[in-house]
Amino acid sequence: MKKIISILAVGLLFVSPLVAQNNPCACCTEDHAAFDFWLGKWEVTLPNGNIAGENVIEKIQGDCVLRENWKGANGNFTGTSYNFYNTTTGLWEQLWLDTAGTILKLSGKRIDNQMILMSDEVINEDESITVQRITWTLLEDGKVRQVWEVLRNGVAVNVLFDGLYSKVE
């Protein structure tokens, strides 16, 4: 009996990864699709109408990851983010990396027509708490507005980026 159980256990070790690899829709849930409104090729403009750059957001890794490829209007600044729904925490997570050496880790969720992701809290020397928050808002016309803010003690004190995404393709 122990031999049979051992053989079954070893067999499951080899079969389980194969089943997971063959599941064609591991990330085809409503939660995994919550950020799909950001998919596409976009021209991004600033509030003054100037072009900020272009952004391409696509699904990779079996539709489990959204990869962002940003290129600033002058072509010298680029960045990439990886966005995914973490089934363990029930939150969306983003890792942003760019040519300026910036590394930003965010997490959060979609609320109505907005994806709201925030950094971990940083306690400053004056004991105030700083958080970075990025909000993507799906507008009625299909455009997306992205606002990146710095919050101090829960109040927005600085806007680092405010861009309007218009689909190119």
Side-chain angles (χ1 to χ4, degrees):
M1 182 68 166
K2 285 184 180 180
K3 269 188 176 181
I4 293 172
I5 292 173
S6 295
I7 291 170
L8 288 174
V10 170
L12 284 175
L13 288 175
F14 290 104
V15 173
S16 293
L18 293 175
V19 170
Q21 290 174 4
N22 290 328
N23 181 355
C25 213
C27 297
C28 292
T29 69
E30 189 175 327
D31 290 324
H32 285 94
F35 213 173
D36 283 2
F37 68 85
W38 195 35
L39 291 170
K41 184 173 182 180
W42 304 89
E43 178 181 78
V44 184
T45 54
L46 300 171
N48 64 8
N50 291 340
I51 296 175
E54 60 184 47
N55 214 350
V56 177
I57 293 81
E58 59 190 342
K59 280 195 168 182
I60 61 170
Q61 303 297 335
D63 291 343
C64 293
V65 177
L66 271 66
R67 178 177 56 202
E68 169 189 18
N69 288 303
W70 169 261
K71 182 178 175 185
N74 65 12
N76 296 329
F77 180 77
T78 62
T80 300
S81 74
Y82 296 93
N83 305 267
F84 61 94
Y85 178 71
N86 186 331
T87 56
T88 303
T89 63
L91 298 173
W92 271 84
E93 297 183 22
Q94 181 184 91
L95 175 60
W96 165 265
L97 309 143
D98 63 35
T99 54
T102 304
I103 299 170
L104 185 61
K105 296 178 184 178
L106 306 168
S107 64
K109 60 184 176 177
R110 181 171 175 172
I111 300 172
D112 298 322
N113 66 330
Q114 295 184 315
M115 180 63 74
I116 304 168
L117 304 180
M118 297 174 62
S119 68
D120 288 339
E121 294 180 343
V122 174
I123 300 174
N124 303 301
E125 288 181 14
D126 65 359
E127 297 186 18
S128 63
I129 298 172
T130 304
V131 172
Q132 295 189 46
R133 175 177 68 194
I134 303 180
T135 303
W136 293 260
T137 304
L138 174 60
L139 305 175
E140 289 182 17
D141 61 3
K143 294 179 181 181
V144 174
R145 181 174 180 214
Q146 177 185 347
V147 179
W148 179 4
E149 303 167 294
V150 175
L151 282 65
R152 184 175 295 257
N153 295 330
V155 176
V157 294
N158 195 9
V159 175
L160 299 177
F161 182 77
D162 185 348
L164 182 64
Y165 284 64
S166 299
K167 271 207 175 158
V168 176
E169 293 177 11

